[in-house]
Amino acid sequence: MTTAGLDARLNRIGTDDSYVIIPMDHGLTMGAVQGLKDIESTIDGVTRGGADAVLTQKGIAPRVHENKNGKGYIVHLNGSTTIGPDEQDKRMTGTVEEAIKAGADAVSFHINVGSNYEPDQMTQLAEVTETADRFGIPVLAMAYARGPGVDSTDAESLGHAVRLAEEVGADLVKTGYSGDAESFQHVVESTRLPVVIAGGSRGTDRETVEMVRGVMDAGGSGVSMGRSIFQHEQPEAITRAVSGVVHDDLSTEEALTEAGLALEV
């Protein structure tokens, strides 16, 4: 149920019901990779570039608040590592109460729909949404189509994943991109939740911005992009380009030009 507190916090992590969120919880997953060693500078850059919110694990909170330029903060509540036995086996790393103590405006939780870990992750997500609802804290469900025999870009599978997020009580949902605006429209229409996309591994600037343009053309609500942003040589500039598409409805060329990025062929 919508409450004044929930609405207020959603407004802190978005702008006019659209979202540019930069997840930087990858230090747990991948280690201190490019863009995350000096995470303070990266947070400062992306929030200056137009990000609505940044996202980390709870332990990084002290490095976030002084550098986020008044923007929103999301604490992620589960994770795994690339060097562990199975990266899809996301385990709890925090609670809603701990996120509130860390100064979060929202929490996020990852579920691999179609994986062997889906049952446990679905139960845990439902528990997170129940607790968050009591505190008026928004929940971003990172609902991916991943598992044996599952095509992670199939629109039907992605549509199932985002619908699951709504069914268990999330407030917004992040998922993979199906590859084009026409197929992604089915994903958006599968739920009443705002749908944002993951960035995945980094492509060219044009590929990144064109993907964002496709999401918005399909009726999506924005992005939750990590590596494509924080591993960029100019995190502030690429954030400005992505924000230009999400918040100002710019074309790919307009967004790249206004951000001062080269117009790659």
Side-chain angles (χ1 to χ4, degrees):
M1 184 178 68
T2 301
T3 65
L6 180 67
D7 287 342
R9 294 181 182 96
L10 283 170
N11 287 336
R12 291 177 201 160
I13 64 169
T15 301
D16 297 328
D17 299 320
S18 59
Y19 303 87
V20 176
I21 298 167
I22 312 301
M24 287 180 270
D25 58 311
H26 302 66
L28 183 149
T29 309
M30 303 166 63
V33 296
Q34 176 186 338
L36 297 184
K37 285 185 179 180
D38 181 8
I39 197 171
E40 291 88 347
S41 294
T42 305
I43 291 168
D44 178 65
V46 300
T47 52
R48 289 183 186 278
D52 296 299
V54 296
L55 180 156
T56 74
Q57 294 280 346
K58 64 185 181 186
I60 300 296
R63 305 175 68 177
V64 172
H65 291 293
E66 292 185 359
N67 300 288
K68 64 183 178 66
N69 297 302
K71 299 302 181 69
Y73 180 43
I74 303 170
V75 167
H76 196 52
L77 299 183
N78 65 342
S80 60
T81 73
T82 56
I83 60 175
D86 191 338
E87 191 177 351
Q88 291 194 30
D89 185 9
K90 305 289 182 180
R91 298 297 179 99
M92 295 292 294
T93 57
T95 65
V96 173
E97 291 90 343
E98 287 176 317
I100 293 170
K101 186 177 180 180
D105 302 302
V107 297
S108 60
F109 191 89
H110 183 126
I111 176 171
N112 291 314
V113 180
S115 76
N116 294 329
Y117 308 104
E118 175 199 293
D120 287 340
Q121 291 170 357
M122 181 165 53
T123 299
Q124 291 164 356
L125 176 57
E127 292 170 350
V128 166
T129 62
E130 188 276 331
T131 304
D133 182 65
R134 288 192 278 116
F135 291 102
I137 299 293
V139 178
L140 165 63
M142 300 185 181
Y144 293 89
R146 291 179 180 170
V150 178
D151 181 351
S152 63
T153 63
D154 174 64
E156 291 292 333
S157 298
L158 294 170
H160 192 166
V162 299
R163 185 52 176 261
L164 182 152
E166 180 181 8
E167 297 277 348
V168 298
D171 300 289
L172 59 160
V173 59
K174 167 183 177 176
T175 196
Y177 187 49
S178 57
D180 58 77
E182 184 178 4
S183 62
F184 199 71
Q185 186 173 353
H186 168 75
V187 182
V188 173
E189 292 174 348
S190 296
T191 177
R192 290 190 178 182
L193 298 183
V195 178
V196 300
I197 61 149
S201 57
R202 184 183 164 191
T204 67
D205 295 346
R206 177 173 289 277
E207 287 170 342
T208 296
V209 178
E210 283 181 343
M211 180 169 62
V212 179
R213 184 67 265 171
V215 170
M216 302 310 290
D217 289 343
S221 297
V223 303
S224 175
M225 304 182 88
R227 287 171 290 170
S228 299
I229 304 293
F230 70 71
Q231 290 194 315
H232 197 279
E233 292 81 2
Q234 301 178 70
E236 182 173 346
I238 191 63
T239 304
R240 183 168 288 110
V242 169
S243 179
V245 174
V246 174
H247 293 317
D248 300 320
D249 199 28
L250 299 184
S251 68
T252 298
E253 290 72 18
E254 289 171 336
L256 290 168
T257 299
E258 292 198 9
L261 295 170
L263 295 175
E264 302 144 323
V265 178

